[in-house]
Amino acid sequence: MQAVTFTGHGDTDVIEYAEVPDPDVGPEDVLIDVKAGALNHLDVWTRRGLPGLDLELPHVPGSDAAGVVVDTGEAVTRFEEGDRVALSAGVSCGECEFCRRGEYPLCVSYHVIGEHVPGVHAEYAAVPQDNLIPVPEGVDWVTAGSTTLVFQTAWRMLIDRADLSAGESVLVLGASGGVGHAALQIAAHAGAEVYATGSSEEKLRYAEAHGADHVVDYEEENFADWVRTETGKRGVDVVVDYIGAGTWRDSIRSLAKGGRLVTCGGTAGPNPETDIPRIFWNQLTILGSTMATPGQVDDVMELVWDGTFEPAVREVLPMSETDRAHALLEGREGFGKVVVRPDSELE
């Protein structure tokens, strides 16, 4: 079969669309005929080489995909041939103290399909049955293959970790990104007043169309100054910041007293300077978040399937052009997700 691979870490020139062996189907695995998958910044970091990440190379990336079940392992009970499914990429042991209390993303052996183990950007993928969710008839493959990771991540960040309530205010940084545009919709759905940042007029208009009440071009104006002006120097209740080093101090400065900053990553750097006095004087809370529990995945994806939440897709490309897809993410071009489909699906 054909799959996206890289044999070493580096720039986009390490990416190939090449012939690889068909996947082995274990007893608990489901074999999927992949129809579409989406890229996330996680794919860029994995390709570049995350510190401490020891991958078996060549590596097949991809933590988002959807397709049709074509075979099942002997112990599979949840799916059968012909079912429509999408990937939920977080893998937990189900047995440690965190899993026993339902906090699966805190699992001591938690890992992510596509990051720590082979991913799903291929013609076929073998996936543990517990990492698949049903896709209703009528949901198109681009939607099904591009929403699970970012919407579950943003849902857990805002609804679970930040405990967002109707009437509160939220600032979403990087509103044109995958997690960002999901967070906009979730915050608006929760009844919050939504502030958002972007780097172009096009991105700001998209942000408004996806739930933002107030927008600012962060390249033209300091977003913390803007937030404090817009809120009468109060600040917002919650900041969603997955940017990291370049925004951290201003994210903290944007918070109201008692506010919460929630983060799931650091696309611009993992080690920011921080403002400790402001954190303790203003009684701020810093919250980390990763992926979601199975129940949270079900809750948010139900709202995707019924059209309440809608993914923005900036481009759909053949998997043979995955290098270009990576370049689109790294260049911050456009709004929303970049989707890749097996070349055989586009013939």
Side-chain angles (χ1 to χ4, degrees):
M1 70 171 185
Q2 298 287 109
V4 178
T5 67
F6 54 81
T7 57
H9 298 295
D11 293 328
T12 57
D13 58 1
V14 303
I15 300 170
E16 299 179 16
Y17 190 56
E19 190 72 24
V20 301
D22 290 346
D24 294 325
V25 181
E28 296 277 353
D29 290 344
V30 173
L31 184 65
I32 306 166
D33 179 359
V34 175
K35 302 298 183 182
L39 272 76
N40 299 280
H41 270 282
L42 178 60
D43 296 297
V44 174
W45 301 330
T46 303
R47 185 203 80 222
R48 290 175 179 172
L50 284 165
L53 184 63
D54 184 18
L55 288 179
E56 183 179 339
L57 299 173
H59 178 72
V60 176
S63 302
D64 259 329
V68 177
V69 174
V70 293
D71 195 9
T72 60
E74 58 194 35
V76 171
T77 59
R78 296 182 58 226
F79 300 100
E80 58 186 28
E81 187 175 341
D83 285 349
R84 294 160 51 90
V85 294
L87 175 72
S88 180
V91 180
S92 53
C93 71
E95 299 175 355
C96 70
E97 61 173 301
F98 302 104
C99 289
R100 288 198 301 271
R101 70 189 195 204
E103 287 292 338
Y104 298 96
L106 296 178
C107 173
V108 296
S109 62
Y110 194 78
H111 60 279
V112 179
I113 293 170
E115 179 184 5
H116 306 94
V117 297
V120 291
H121 287 173
E123 289 183 302
Y124 296 93
V127 177
Q129 63 174 335
D130 289 344
N131 287 98
L132 294 172
I133 58 174
V135 175
E137 293 288 342
V139 176
D140 67 90
W141 290 122
V142 169
T143 295
S146 65
T147 47
T148 305
L149 190 145
V150 294
F151 275 92
Q152 70 170 283
T153 298
W155 183 267
R156 180 172 171 84
M157 290 175 78
L158 286 168
I159 304 304
D160 179 75
R161 301 292 289 138
D163 194 22
L164 182 65
S165 299
E168 291 193 302
S169 52
V170 178
L171 169 64
V172 179
L173 303 186
S176 64
V179 171
H181 93 291
L184 290 178
Q185 297 178 63
I186 291 167
H189 180 73
E193 186 170 8
V194 184
Y195 298 77
T197 72
S199 60
S200 70
E201 188 67 21
E202 178 191 21
K203 290 179 180 179
L204 296 180
R205 299 292 77 80
Y206 268 113
E208 289 177 324
H210 285 78
D213 300 298
H214 315 273
V215 296
V216 69
D217 186 333
Y218 64 82
E219 293 187 341
E220 299 292 331
E221 186 173 356
N222 177 274
F223 71 82
D225 292 340
W226 170 75
V227 164
R228 300 200 72 80
T229 298
E230 290 287 311
T231 61
K233 298 184 179 180
R234 176 187 183 274
V236 295
D237 298 298
V238 175
V239 172
V240 174
D241 184 345
Y242 58 88
I243 311 300
T247 55
W248 194 259
R249 288 182 68 92
D250 281 331
S251 290
I252 291 172
R253 196 159 63 90
S254 300
L255 285 168
K257 290 181 180 293
R260 295 96 75 196
L261 189 159
V262 61
T263 180
C264 66
T267 59
N271 297 304
E273 292 184 5
T274 196
D275 188 343
I276 293 175
R278 184 180 289 270
I279 291 172
F280 63 72
W281 278 117
N282 286 357
Q283 311 280 308
L284 305 180
T285 301
I286 309 297
L287 299 162
S289 189
T290 305
M291 307 287 280
T293 68
Q296 291 161 358
V297 173
D298 291 341
D299 288 344
V300 69
M301 294 311 296
E302 193 64 38
L303 294 169
V304 173
W305 302 149
D306 72 12
T308 301
F309 300 146
E310 180 181 357
V313 176
R314 67 183 89 173
E315 191 112 26
V316 179
L317 298 170
M319 283 188 181
S320 59
E321 296 183 25
T322 296
D323 57 344
R324 183 180 162 212
H326 277 241
L328 287 170
L329 286 188
E330 291 179 292
R332 299 185 294 116
E333 300 176 33
F335 188 95
K337 301 288 288 183
V338 178
V339 175
V340 291
R341 304 191 69 183
D343 287 40
S344 56
E345 288 293 320
L346 300 174
E347 293 173 353

